[in-house]
Amino acid sequence: MNINESYLDKVTLLITHYNRSSSLERLLAAFAKQEITFGDIVVSDDGSKPEHLEKLKSLHTIYKFRLITTPVNRGLGNNINKGQDAVNTPYTLYIQEDFNPYPCYKKHLIDALSIVNDRPDIDMVRFYAYFKYPYLKPYRDGYSEMLFKLWYPGTGSSIATATIRI
């Protein structure tokens, strides 16, 4: 299957948010500036203060996202799960509100979609990590496959599915 920009409509941008509405505004503006549009955008807020919720409501009129809220902060894990429950597309791009999509991000995203469509055994693509995973096999388009083996130290377990990292 040939992946191109029209396939981004199969992706929901899931953004977790807590009390950083200015960061969220900067993020949404960066995607708009790069002309990256998604099938849906879900902002999952985790009990932000009223002034941030008001800002989110004003941002909604510009960026047309779905806002999922909770009255109290229940932690990042709950916030991700709450947001993911609202996703209706085949793919999710999960980020936090302080993410910065560098120029040319659209190309990397389209390349990632191409990889997961070509390789059904790949269930996740990582665009960033705090440290370089020690067992990488070059794949394509600047991505590497993370190799998981029971006998590889530090990998935790054997995992049947592959993960691609850029």
Side-chain angles (χ1 to χ4, degrees):
M1 177 182 299
N2 183 21
I3 302 298
N4 59 38
E5 294 179 34
S6 68
Y7 282 89
L8 292 178
D9 63 354
K10 294 183 180 189
V11 178
T12 294
L13 175 62
L14 170 58
I15 307 166
T16 51
H17 174 266
Y18 178 68
N19 285 336
R20 297 198 307 187
S21 53
S22 294
S23 293
L24 177 65
E25 182 175 25
R26 190 170 32 257
L27 167 67
L28 294 170
F31 278 124
K33 183 178 180 182
Q34 292 186 43
E35 298 179 351
I36 302 174
T37 58
F38 300 92
D40 194 11
I41 300 174
V42 171
V43 175
S44 184
D45 181 75
D46 200 18
S48 288
K49 295 177 181 176
E51 58 268 23
H52 291 281
L53 288 175
E54 287 303 314
K55 179 72 173 185
L56 293 181
K57 290 175 185 171
S58 71
L59 291 174
H60 173 267
T61 61
I62 300 166
Y63 297 106
K64 310 297 184 212
F65 53 81
R66 289 190 293 138
L67 178 59
I68 312 297
T69 62
T70 187
V72 292
N73 186 325
R74 297 181 62 198
L76 180 59
N78 183 76
N79 202 16
I80 295 168
N81 290 337
K82 176 173 54 81
Q84 185 61 46
D85 286 346
V87 171
N88 299 315
T89 58
Y91 301 109
T92 303
L93 174 61
Y94 163 66
I95 57 178
Q96 294 180 352
E97 77 274 345
D98 61 348
F99 177 74
N100 183 8
Y102 290 109
C104 300
Y105 186 75
K106 185 184 229 179
K107 179 194 178 326
H108 296 299
L109 183 55
I110 291 169
D111 289 344
L113 287 169
S114 173
I115 289 169
V116 296
N117 271 324
D118 291 348
R119 292 264 315 265
D121 61 316
I122 294 175
D123 60 351
M124 178 175 66
V125 175
R126 282 188 189 176
F127 294 99
Y128 177 81
Y130 288 109
F131 60 92
K132 185 175 180 178
Y133 186 76
Y135 309 104
L136 296 174
K137 176 181 161 189
Y139 186 65
R140 73 169 206 232
D141 303 323
Y143 288 88
S144 294
E145 186 171 355
M146 296 172 69
L147 304 175
F148 295 92
K149 304 282 185 192
L150 191 55
W151 53 88
Y152 284 2
T155 62
S157 65
S158 90
I159 297 178
T161 56
T163 301
I164 296 292
R165 179 184 180 279
I166 187 167

